[in-house]
Amino acid sequence: MLPEILPRPAAIGNAEYRDRRATLMAELPADSAVLLPGATLVTRSRDSEYPFRQASDFHYLTGFPEPDALLVLLPGRAEGESVLFCQDRDPALETWTGIRLGAEGARREHGVDQAFENAEREARLDELLDGRTTCYLMFDDADSLALAQAVRHRLAARARRGAQPPLAFADLAPLLHEQRLIKSAAELELLRHAGAISARAHCRAMAAARPGLAEYHLQAELEHEFHWQGGSGPAYASIVGGGANACVLHYVENRAPLRDGDLVLIDAGAEFDLYAGDITRTFPVGGRFTAAQRELYAVVLEAQERALEAVRPGTTLAAIHDGVVRHLTAGLVHLGLLDGDVQARIDDGSIKRFYPHSTSHWLGLDVHDVGDYRRDGEPRPLTPGMVLTVEPGLYIPDDDDIQAAFRGIGIRIEDDIVVTAEGCEVLTADVPKQVADIEALMDNF
Ligand code: GLY
Ligand code: MN
Ligand code: MN
């Protein structure tokens, strides 16, 4: 029998993309413009390309799925405030690479006010930007900067004939990324679905695990489920680390054999309609935790559960992280992996040897999603609609000064959470993390 197919959530509609553009433009001066290029195809080798993935910022404002597009926003423009440039129609090429919407299709299917094909881009852009005082673009994106510079340069060259180039460039990132930080109901549905697919994939990998397989076999189980459920694949390179490979935070080789007696750490999440899931689970290859693994696991699990309980409006990621650090440090002191006083081991940084990363990041279209973590130099309070991960871990080096039973153990437990008015909703609860539940799941297959 084929595995179950989860019902797909609704795609985000044109009305929402239009509202997002309107919300952004409401923050901009009337005589400004926004230039936002989409992504372009990237060569993988010779004449083959990586699968196309639209740029997150561009997708957020358009939903337009083709490469080499450009969005221009012109607040207050009578002929239309949202102008999209897209690939030229090219019937011969389309036989090879698929239908292009062209200007006509882009306007019809994506609800922008005007659309033009790229052949017209240069002349039209000059016309559209002439007289716009401030041009907003992504300062971190070299393509945006080059594009804006080129337009400015051409308009400046025509200044004696009355052209008015932009007088200032401004960074679009703070405004747009603040908007992206608070997720809409439709975005939360997609994130819930990405979480649900990711959870099923982890269950599948857990059920399949046994000594004699390699890390890549579990990667194959995970990624089969991502695609089976209609996801585009992993939201980031899947991490499957057996034994001490779990201590390499972004281990992606996934080539080593899985050995009985070792733990395996899987950090992997599906991308669905461009939204990311991000789950980590750690479990025994052979289905039973050893005593030392169980003791360390209990410390990480309790830190994670307490952190989840702390997620609610008003608290901060820094406060949640501090709680996790305290709990992990106390656990290591209790197990004899750190000496002396808990506060002293936090203050002198000894805990960083075992827990070098932070506890949370924003999650959305990007796995490490956009949005400021601090406001006026202070950690910002959480508010409803923010989506984040909680992912404490312990990574015990294979060093001589460490008790032998603990050497080379890496454990991380990660879930995805949305902040709600009442507290939080865990989006990835459907994959076991209690020792008994993991052992039971692994036993049943
Ligand atoms: N997989 C990257 C992270 O958990 O942050
Ligand atoms: Mn992760
Ligand atoms: Mn993460």
Side-chain angles (χ1 to χ4, degrees), residues 236 239 267-269 277-280 361 367-368 389 391 412 414:
Y236 52 91
I239 296 166
D267 182 345
D278 183 8
I279 300 181
T280 308
H361 56 79
V367 64
H368 296 161
T389 66
E391 48 181 301
R412 179 163 65 255
E414 174 176 28

Side-chain angles (χ1 to χ4, degrees), residues 73-414:
L73 297 179
L74 301 150
R77 178 171 173 265
E79 308 89 311
E81 295 181 306
S82 299
V83 182
L84 187 87
F85 290 88
C86 59
Q87 297 176 112
D88 305 319
R89 292 301 309 265
D90 183 339
L93 198 63
E94 286 172 38
T95 311
W96 292 89
T97 56
I99 300 291
R100 296 173 167 188
L101 280 171
E104 199 49 47
R107 198 169 47 244
R108 189 182 61 239
E109 313 245 329
H110 290 276
V112 287
D113 300 322
Q114 286 187 315
F116 303 104
E117 288 170 26
N118 283 336
E120 293 187 61
R121 193 193 266 210
E122 202 169 293
R124 293 271 182 191
L125 263 186
D126 292 1
E127 218 175 281
L128 294 171
L129 263 70
D130 194 351
R132 296 270 158 181
T133 309
T134 306
C135 180
Y136 283 82
L137 47 103
M138 288 294 176
F139 279 9
D140 285 339
D141 175 31
D143 290 346
S144 284
L145 280 165
L147 182 70
Q149 277 289 9
V151 179
R152 213 207 79 81
H153 193 70
R154 291 195 299 269
L155 288 174
R158 296 204 293 273
R160 276 198 303 282
R161 284 176 273 154
Q164 290 178 273
L167 297 178
F169 290 162
D171 193 5
L172 180 63
L175 286 172
L176 183 55
H177 292 173
E178 191 62 18
Q179 195 177 336
R180 277 179 55 189
L181 178 58
I182 307 299
K183 274 64 179 177
S184 70
E187 288 185 287
L188 290 177
E189 276 304 305
L190 294 177
L191 282 161
R192 246 176 229 118
H193 197 61
I197 296 173
S198 307
R200 288 178 72 94
H202 276 260
C203 290
R204 207 173 142 155
M206 241 180 229
R210 61 193 141 84
L213 296 183
E215 293 164 343
Y216 54 79
H217 288 116
L218 303 192
Q219 180 182 357
E221 285 294 315
L222 293 156
E223 295 182 10
H224 184 141
E225 188 68 22
F226 297 165
H227 288 287
W228 180 259
Q229 301 294 352
S232 55
Y236 52 91
S238 301
I239 296 166
V240 182
N245 291 337
C247 297
V248 179
L249 296 178
H250 285 172
Y251 173 81
V252 291
E253 279 169 42
N254 304 348
R255 304 309 300 167
L258 294 168
R259 290 193 313 244
D260 203 11
D262 279 352
L263 295 178
V264 55
L265 179 155
I266 298 183
D267 182 345
E271 181 181 73
F272 186 84
D273 276 4
L274 278 73
Y275 284 81
D278 183 8
I279 300 181
T280 308
R281 290 291 186 269
T282 311
F283 54 92
V285 169
R288 286 279 174 278
F289 287 84
T290 66
Q293 289 165 353
R294 194 179 294 256
E295 282 183 306
L296 269 179
Y297 190 88
V299 173
V300 179
L301 181 60
E302 198 175 323
Q304 208 245 6
E305 289 176 328
R306 287 193 188 181
L308 290 178
E309 282 165 21
V311 176
R312 67 175 72 94
T315 190
T316 65
L317 296 188
I320 291 167
H321 179 68
D322 288 349
V324 161
V325 167
R326 172 160 297 280
H327 190 85
L328 295 178
T329 311
L332 293 187
V333 168
H334 178 74
L335 293 176
L337 284 155
L338 283 173
D339 289 331
D341 180 58
V342 172
Q343 188 60 48
R345 296 295 78 81
I346 296 171
D347 292 343
D348 69 10
S350 323
I351 181 60
K352 291 197 176 131
R353 180 177 178 203
F354 305 102
Y355 184 46
H357 61 80
S358 46
T359 301
S360 301
H361 56 79
W362 307 131
L363 182 74
L365 285 167
D366 294 302
V367 64
H368 296 161
D369 208 36
V370 294
D372 286 339
Y373 287 88
R374 300 174 83 83
R375 274 288 155 95
D376 304 320
E378 296 296 322
R380 69 187 300 169
L382 297 182
T383 58
M386 291 176 171
V387 178
L388 56 116
T389 66
V390 170
E391 48 181 301
L394 283 174
Y395 314 92
I396 314 298
D398 191 5
D399 292 345
D400 291 347
D401 65 324
I402 304 270
Q403 298 167 53
F406 292 117
R407 285 183 205 159
I409 296 180
I411 295 166
R412 179 163 65 255
I413 305 172
E414 174 176 28

